[in-house]
Amino acid sequence: MTAFVRVSGPPNSNFLVGYPGISATLPRIEGRVEIRPLQGVSAPVLISLVTVSLQRRESIHPAADSVTKKHLAAPRKEIIDIVGKEMLLFRCPAGKESESVLAMDLPFVIFIPYGRGGEEIARRVPPASLQLDKRTAETYYEVVVTVQSGHQQQKKYQFPVPISRYDTLSTFGMYNRPESAERVTDQLVTLGISLPRWSYGPFDPVSVYIKLSPNPDCLNKAKKVTIRSITIGIDEEIVYNHEGDEPQRKVKKLISHAQQVGVRMPEAGYFTNLGLVFPAKDLRDNEGILPRARKEFPMFAVSGFTTTGTLYKIEYFLWVLAKMAGARDILLRQPIVVCPFDHAGCKEEMEAIEQAAKDAAHVSPDNPMLPAAQIIKHNDPNGLKALGMTIVGGQRKPLIE
């Protein structure tokens, strides 16, 4: 007899509890596996084994965004990984092939790894759910329930769970310290930049302090240099198969802004402050309607952010190009972190993250204190009552309390 299987989360909340990427919140998937008869409300189901796991599916197809290359390139590459550990929820007693069951509610909690375990892959924080345009890169998660009935083949039931990462929020202190860098060409001019903060989300303002200084040892020569223009921009760099034999790198310019200068190099140096707004992908169609969100992905499905999976990684660089006459141009590239949420959204999450950390302080990963499993067997005297049925005059009827 086939079973009806579903996974339900805690009352009035999502499967996902806590904030992946933030260890203090003990990120975890909480819920219960519910098994009921599929045909005939009270026909018992034979159950031998029930397990649950969190599965990550990742795939890349770098040529998918080109119509011509798509058919000539290698096929889509895919990997499937189990996140954390697979949990055994039920196994029928030894010497018995299966248990005849009317209803089963099996609570579970799967802890999502949150330690940066270096080479120890099992402890790495899993990358966030993401689907890039034309599915060139994709990561999504499913809760997989495996049910075995007697001698029949194991049946798997998948339930999508979107997972976001919260360790790149622009409101965290570590991203709000100034970052600076310098670059020299020709030994005549030094380009220095300073970023007041280095994590950005969609529509966040990006400002850069820029200083061009002459080399004091060649001052006469450096003063003859003319600063023609200064351009700032942001690049998105995707490396496909970055851990493999043939990594493929694709760089895409997201935005740039040029300022014409036309000034001879002053003895004290040239200072300026340039800014731009971090671009955001508009998901709305021509009529201003947002597409229906897919269960596997959060709403920022096609907008990239800083992330590293097994098959791909996405990085971002802020670059400054100083074009000069009398000296070689200087290009400086500085890595930045891109967050899926804007600064206001990050601020809103902070309070909830603090609360989740307080709640997680009472949870022990070794003994999460799950409610007891409820298993109603075929011969249970109150079995039909649990299914909302009763026997009246020898016939099964809906139970009205």
Side-chain angles (χ1 to χ4, degrees):
M1 183 64 71
T2 47
F4 167 75
V5 177
R6 74 170 183 184
V7 173
S8 59
N12 302 319
S13 70
N14 197 348
F15 294 134
L16 185 62
V17 183
Y19 288 81
I22 299 174
S23 55
T25 65
L26 278 186
R28 57 204 182 274
I29 304 280
E30 271 184 27
R32 66 170 190 253
V33 173
E34 297 175 359
I35 300 176
R36 301 286 184 273
L38 181 63
Q39 287 138 4
V41 180
S42 54
V45 187
L46 299 176
I47 303 286
S48 308
L49 177 88
V50 182
T51 67
V52 67
S53 62
L54 179 65
Q55 189 172 275
R56 172 169 67 104
R57 298 175 79 99
E58 197 172 282
S59 68
I60 53 167
H61 194 186
D65 56 358
S66 159
V67 178
T68 46
K69 286 186 202 160
K70 188 177 179 181
H71 303 295
L72 302 169
R76 178 171 290 279
K77 186 173 181 178
E78 184 173 36
I79 59 151
I80 297 172
D81 258 352
I82 285 184
V83 179
K85 292 180 183 146
E86 186 170 23
M87 281 183 71
L88 175 68
L89 298 183
F90 173 81
R91 176 183 272 148
C92 71
K96 225 177 174 187
E97 193 184 289
S98 57
E99 198 74 75
S100 188
V101 169
L102 285 175
M104 261 185 172
D105 287 345
L106 308 170
F108 69 90
V109 58
I110 298 170
F111 287 94
I112 295 172
Y114 51 78
R116 294 189 177 279
E119 295 306 306
E120 202 186 319
I121 290 171
R123 287 193 54 210
R124 278 193 209 160
V125 185
S129 305
L130 172 69
Q131 185 185 49
L132 291 183
D133 229 359
K134 306 277 195 307
R135 293 182 62 217
T136 51
E138 187 173 78
T139 298
Y140 69 95
Y141 294 84
E142 296 168 319
V143 170
V144 179
V145 178
T146 305
V147 178
Q148 178 147 19
S149 309
H151 282 308
Q152 288 179 14
Q153 208 174 358
Q154 288 186 346
K155 241 186 144 184
K156 291 188 186 291
Y157 300 84
Q158 282 109 342
F159 304 91
V161 181
I163 287 185
S164 303
R165 280 272 292 267
Y166 294 87
D167 46 349
T168 57
L169 297 192
S170 57
T171 37
F172 287 140
M174 60 183 175
Y175 298 120
N176 289 315
R177 294 196 194 107
E179 280 276 301
S180 51
E182 282 191 346
R183 182 86 198 255
V184 182
T185 51
D186 281 357
Q187 303 301 319
L188 284 180
V189 179
T190 303
L191 167 64
I193 67 163
S194 175
L195 299 172
R197 60 192 184 88
W198 48 288
S199 171
Y200 306 97
F203 296 123
D204 281 355
V206 180
S207 65
V208 193
Y209 302 113
I210 297 165
K211 180 187 179 185
L212 284 162
S213 347
N215 182 347
D217 300 336
C218 329
L219 199 56
N220 288 337
K221 212 172 174 189
K223 276 161 57 178
K224 291 176 184 166
V225 172
T226 302
I227 305 162
R228 286 158 54 195
S229 67
I230 298 173
T231 309
I232 68 165
I234 293 171
D235 284 350
E236 176 183 73
E237 200 166 286
I238 305 176
V239 187
Y240 297 98
N241 204 22
H242 68 101
E243 291 180 356
D245 304 333
E246 295 177 13
Q248 193 176 340
R249 192 176 294 269
K250 284 193 177 184
V251 180
K252 180 177 163 192
K253 188 197 283 184
L254 295 183
I255 190 170
S256 64
H257 169 63
Q259 186 183 61
Q260 299 305 316
V261 181
V263 167
R264 276 276 178 97
M265 175 65 75
E267 198 169 321
Y270 178 83
F271 302 82
T272 186
N273 189 3
L274 288 183
L276 41 80
V277 173
F278 193 88
K281 191 160 188 119
D282 189 7
L283 298 176
R284 294 173 188 275
D285 64 14
N286 299 338
E287 293 168 357
I289 295 167
L290 279 168
R292 181 182 290 176
R294 286 182 56 191
K295 286 187 209 143
E296 298 95 326
F297 305 103
M299 213 38 240
F300 41 80
V302 288
S303 194
F305 45 85
T306 302
T307 183
T308 302
T310 308
L311 295 176
Y312 67 92
K313 67 174 175 178
I314 306 178
E315 297 172 308
Y316 291 83
F317 295 89
L318 183 135
W319 52 268
V320 177
L321 172 66
K323 288 199 162 185
M324 290 171 286
R328 275 195 297 180
D329 299 345
I330 306 179
L331 174 67
L332 195 156
R333 288 177 100 224
Q334 178 69 11
I336 57 171
V337 169
V338 172
C339 170
F341 319 103
D342 62 9
H343 198 63
C346 293
K347 273 185 180 160
E348 282 171 22
E349 292 289 359
M350 293 306 276
E351 206 174 303
I353 290 172
E354 279 174 36
Q355 186 56 51
K358 284 176 192 165
D359 296 344
H362 307 294
V363 177
S364 160
D366 304 318
N367 181 17
M369 301 290 286
L370 288 171
Q374 285 188 308
I375 300 171
I376 293 156
K377 295 181 185 171
H378 175 48
N379 52 6
D380 195 312
N382 285 330
L384 286 176
K385 187 179 176 184
L387 293 168
M389 303 291 288
T390 188
I391 301 280
V392 179
Q395 286 187 309
R396 285 180 189 150
K397 301 273 184 180
L399 175 66
I400 301 165
E401 301 235 15

